[in-house]
Amino acid sequence: MGLKLRISLMLFFCFFGLESMSQNITNVDANPNGNCIIISFEMDKPSDVNISYSINDGFFQDIPNKYIKKLPVQDTKYKYMWDVVEQFGEFIFSDVIFKIDLIGYVPHPFSVSMDCQVYFSPGNLQYNISSNIWRFSDNQYEILEKAASDSKSWIDLFGWGTSGWDSGAKAFQPNSTSGNNRDYHPGGYIAAFKLNYDGSSSQNPNSSAGRNLVGKYANADWGVYNSQRISSKYGEQRAWRTLTKNEWQYLLEGRKNSSSLHQNSYIENVYGLILYPDDWDINANFKKSHYSLDEWCIMEGKGAIFLPFKTGHYYGSREYWSSTSAGVDDAFGLSFNHIYGIARSRASLVRLVSNVKEEIQIQDISFYEVKKEQGKENVSVVKHKTFNVPKTEDFYGVTLGYLIPNENFYIDAGGVQIGIKYEPIFKGGFGLNLGANMSLWAGADTTFGLSLNLPLYGEFHANFSKSFSLFAFGGIGLSYIDYTVPQYDTTLNKNDTKEGSFGFMTYDFGGGIRCKNMQVRYTTSIYKNDFIQQMISLDFFLPNSEISSSTYGSNTQTYNTRSRSGTPSYYRHNYSGHPSVPTKSIHEK
């Protein structure tokens, strides 16, 4: 075919000091080799990696397996060969950025009933008392063993049903410390037995003893109530929940080959329960009483789950909550491979799951951006959304308006308006509509005036795309008017004018359409005497106040990465030449 790969290699090496489980990636290089590119690097310890690339636009795409192969490893030196000619044709694109991700936890399905599979969260649930923030632990083997009585910062031990939802229970906050089991009943405690008129007692059908963290009381479940607030290094945006007692039981005993899909073991010096996913190869050589971090890194990349119970000890361990009540004083929990009733006030661990059938997709952990700020590495985790922007830039601009003449208005006036606008937009598309406007209006005969108007509106934007939205607003308008109106002078027996000024407040509401940096608004103002006035406005915003492409359809959270795994590293390489295939085909998944 006469293919010729034209590559002029200029290496722009930008190493950010990747750290993961004390793992470093060093000596990264990329060189042409015939029709291929050899990507080489070194790691402290063996680990699976994912290599992706970007072409000038920040969009990273995995290299298909059929075009890349791993060359023999020499000690800790890794090499991958990418057959770019076979993938893209005669020429390679220019200015390529490679990104190397260490593969951490990769979600795999676990059956918890005959017709339900779940994904486990990448770590135990943790809560920060002082800042009211939820997160998953940095690693699956991390266990703080901290309750509210022990710590004023991060805790991972909770009383039952302490999601923060005020259901009527006396103890519902994550940092609740009550030692009374009956304070932890969602909806409030109601006795299991009632006293009859004849002095006997009988079962109380309204008793709170049988209330579970589902249905009417589902918000008492840590995952259900806080799904949108839990941060994670993997960037999941999922509908989290706690397993029921029956689901824990099925996970351990009901699955096919269930006895081969869990074991008690150590990860380094942490003792706990390892759970294997439904698709685990039961013939794999993973049945040991102790695993190193290197071995565990490979196992969790294949979907294994670790539930830590205690650091360095077998006995005196903690339990994991279920969402199922076990009577007046207890709720069911899991310890190692046993399920039993646990006092509701006992500080225990929480591991959340999400249903596989949920429409929320597993996030691609390659969507990371590494930044350096004052000597600290930070990871911005991009969480994909589907409709409205959680946060946009603030809008600054000018407005031009036309006051529609209205014979019902007390001076029968129309006019024009010019002003400045400031529209800060917050999470979920909510925002404010503020500014200052000067209006010149005129009516029949010699009626005219000059006014200053200050709009104080709340508004909501439904952002259908980066450049198009519909919005509605409402609030009050504060105005001050200098006016001249016709008046008959009885003294002089002739027509004259009267001058004056006054201030007033209106109730305003309306809506409009926004397209890129321009929007059209229609405003209705109601005066104190029920007079109504309408105005059409055209607003122009500064170019840099357009919705940011980095925030549209995403939610960015930043975490310090010095102790977090799965952090990517970027390496930029520049190749001369041009693509021989359309850009569209390069970006297609």
Side-chain angles (χ1 to χ4, degrees):
M1 297 176 59
L3 294 180
K4 180 181 179 182
L5 181 65
R6 302 192 310 182
I7 302 178
S8 175
L9 179 63
M10 295 176 60
L11 179 64
F12 293 86
F13 178 67
C14 301
F15 178 59
F16 289 90
L18 175 66
E19 298 180 5
S20 172
M21 294 184 184
S22 302
Q23 175 83 301
N24 293 292
I25 293 181
T26 55
N27 297 328
V28 179
D29 201 358
N31 291 285
N33 185 349
N35 293 336
C36 304
I37 296 176
I38 303 294
I39 305 165
S40 61
F41 53 93
E42 293 185 27
M43 292 195 296
D44 296 340
K45 302 175 182 179
S47 176
D48 290 341
V49 299
N50 181 67
I51 302 178
S52 53
Y53 68 94
S54 177
I55 310 169
N56 281 325
D57 57 3
F59 181 91
F60 279 90
Q61 178 169 314
D62 292 340
I63 302 172
N65 288 334
K66 65 180 180 179
Y67 299 119
I68 190 168
K69 68 177 182 178
K70 184 177 181 180
L71 301 179
V73 177
Q74 297 179 355
D75 297 326
T76 56
K77 298 179 180 179
Y78 293 77
K79 287 187 178 182
Y80 287 83
M81 183 170 65
W82 181 15
D83 193 335
V84 288
V85 169
E86 183 178 346
Q87 182 173 3
F88 290 115
E90 182 174 358
F91 300 109
I92 184 73
F93 33 74
S94 63
D95 199 14
V96 179
I97 304 173
F98 290 104
K99 181 160 64 104
I100 301 174
D101 292 313
L102 288 175
I103 297 178
Y105 167 57
V106 177
H108 282 236
F110 289 76
S111 292
V112 292
S113 71
M114 292 286 290
D115 56 359
C116 181
Q117 288 182 314
V118 299
Y119 296 123
F120 274 88
S121 63
N124 284 351
L125 189 63
Q126 298 178 350
Y127 175 73
N128 187 280
I129 299 174
S130 59
S131 58
N132 189 28
I133 295 175
W134 296 88
R135 74 179 184 187
F136 294 128
S137 59
D138 285 345
N139 301 293
Q140 291 201 59
Y141 50 82
E142 180 177 277
I143 179 170
L144 304 177
E145 294 188 277
K146 295 290 186 180
S149 59
D150 301 326
S151 173
K152 297 301 180 184
S153 56
W154 290 102
I155 63 175
D156 62 352
L157 300 177
F158 308 93
W160 194 65
T162 52
S163 68
W165 175 57
D166 188 356
S167 65
K170 291 184 179 180
F172 64 89
Q173 294 289 4
N175 58 335
S176 296
T177 57
S178 172
N180 187 342
N181 295 322
R182 301 182 183 186
D183 288 347
Y184 295 85
H185 284 240
Y189 170 72
I190 299 177
F193 295 90
K194 63 179 180 178
L195 185 65
N196 300 322
Y197 290 108
D198 59 3
S200 63
S201 62
S202 60
Q203 191 76 32
N204 187 348
N206 298 318
S207 170
S208 57
R211 293 176 185 167
N212 302 319
L213 309 186
V214 297
K216 181 179 179 180
Y217 301 101
N219 278 335
D221 184 323
W222 305 266
V224 173
Y225 190 60
N226 298 294
S227 279
Q228 304 304 312
R229 302 174 55 208
I230 302 173
S231 63
S232 166
K233 63 186 176 183
Y234 291 102
E236 292 92 344
Q237 186 74 36
R238 303 185 63 80
W240 299 108
R241 66 179 180 87
T242 307
L243 288 174
T244 68
K245 174 232 179 181
N246 290 339
E247 287 176 329
W248 277 120
Q249 199 78 46
Y250 188 92
L251 183 68
L252 297 173
E253 301 175 1
R255 293 189 293 164
K256 182 179 179 181
N257 300 316
S258 59
S259 61
S260 300
L261 294 178
H262 62 83
Q263 68 171 115
N264 296 330
S265 187
Y266 281 95
I267 305 297
E268 289 290 341
N269 69 328
V270 182
Y271 195 80
L273 174 65
I274 298 178
L275 298 170
Y276 298 107
D278 294 353
D279 57 5
W280 188 264
D281 181 3
I282 61 174
N283 296 315
N285 187 22
F286 286 109
K287 285 294 181 181
K288 297 168 59 177
S289 61
H290 191 285
Y291 296 94
S292 67
L293 292 184
D294 295 340
E295 292 172 318
W296 173 244
C297 181
I298 296 173
M299 292 167 65
E300 70 170 350
K302 299 178 182 297
I305 290 294
F306 184 61
L307 303 179
F309 286 99
K310 190 73 173 178
T311 302
H313 302 285
Y314 180 92
Y315 296 103
S317 66
R318 296 290 174 177
E319 296 87 9
Y320 284 83
W321 285 122
S322 78
S323 61
T324 306
S325 168
V328 173
D329 293 314
D330 298 342
F332 285 106
L334 170 75
S335 182
F336 300 107
N337 53 359
H338 301 289
I339 299 171
Y340 49 83
I342 304 167
R344 296 178 187 231
S345 61
R346 176 169 168 76
S348 299
L349 300 159
V350 174
R351 189 62 170 267
L352 301 177
V353 300
S354 61
N355 290 355
V356 171
K357 292 184 179 179
E358 291 290 343
E359 293 302 320
I360 305 173
Q361 299 297 316
I362 302 173
Q363 295 306 305
D364 183 350
I365 64 174
S366 68
F367 281 86
Y368 284 15
E369 179 183 357
V370 174
K371 300 177 180 178
K372 268 198 172 183
E373 182 178 351
Q374 297 180 353
K376 293 183 178 180
E377 300 109 13
N378 290 296
V379 174
S380 295
V381 183
V382 179
K383 299 182 178 181
H384 298 280
K385 300 286 186 181
T386 56
F387 169 64
N388 214 19
V389 289
K391 190 178 188 304
T392 66
E393 303 294 335
D394 295 343
F395 301 131
Y396 305 87
V398 297
T399 180
L400 300 175
Y402 173 63
L403 191 66
I404 301 173
N406 187 343
E407 62 181 8
N408 292 323
F409 189 49
Y410 71 108
I411 53 176
D412 183 20
V416 294
Q417 183 182 88
I418 186 172
I420 57 176
K421 291 187 65 61
Y422 172 51
E423 293 190 17
I425 308 298
F426 309 116
K427 288 185 177 181
F430 292 94
L432 299 176
N433 189 323
L434 310 172
N437 305 309
M438 293 294 296
S439 299
L440 178 65
W441 43 266
D445 300 324
T446 56
T447 299
F448 70 93
L450 184 66
S451 67
L452 172 66
N453 171 259
L454 301 176
L456 303 173
Y457 305 151
E459 67 180 6
F460 173 75
H461 280 254
N463 297 285
F464 292 93
S465 72
K466 176 183 173 182
S467 59
F468 178 78
S469 68
L470 301 178
F471 62 92
F473 59 86
I476 60 174
L478 304 178
S479 298
Y480 179 81
I481 289 181
D482 273 323
Y483 67 89
T484 300
V485 297
Q487 178 177 284
Y488 184 78
D489 192 327
T490 56
T491 303
L492 300 176
N493 197 26
K494 67 174 185 178
N495 291 327
D496 201 353
T497 59
K498 177 183 177 180
E499 296 182 354
S501 62
F502 64 94
F504 59 90
M505 182 181 76
T506 60
Y507 297 99
D508 304 341
F509 61 91
I513 300 175
R514 180 181 176 87
C515 185
K516 292 188 176 180
N517 291 92
M518 183 177 70
Q519 69 184 25
V520 178
R521 289 184 294 120
Y522 187 86
T523 307
T524 298
S525 300
I526 303 177
Y527 292 75
K528 63 180 180 179
N529 295 324
D530 293 331
F531 288 117
I532 297 177
Q533 191 76 37
Q534 287 86 29
M535 183 172 64
I536 297 177
S537 303
L538 189 60
D539 303 329
F540 301 91
F541 295 101
L542 298 178
N544 62 356
S545 66
E546 182 180 356
I547 297 175
S548 170
S549 61
S550 64
T551 56
Y552 169 73
S554 67
N555 183 16
T556 302
Q557 299 179 343
T558 302
Y559 312 105
N560 187 274
T561 64
R562 293 194 180 274
S563 62
R564 293 181 177 269
S565 65
T567 312
S569 189
Y570 292 76
Y571 308 93
R572 178 182 295 274
H573 306 273
N574 186 25
Y575 303 95
S576 64
H578 59 276
S580 62
V581 294
T583 303
K584 172 182 165 184
S585 66
I586 294 177
H587 289 176
E588 286 177 346
K589 284 278 188 180

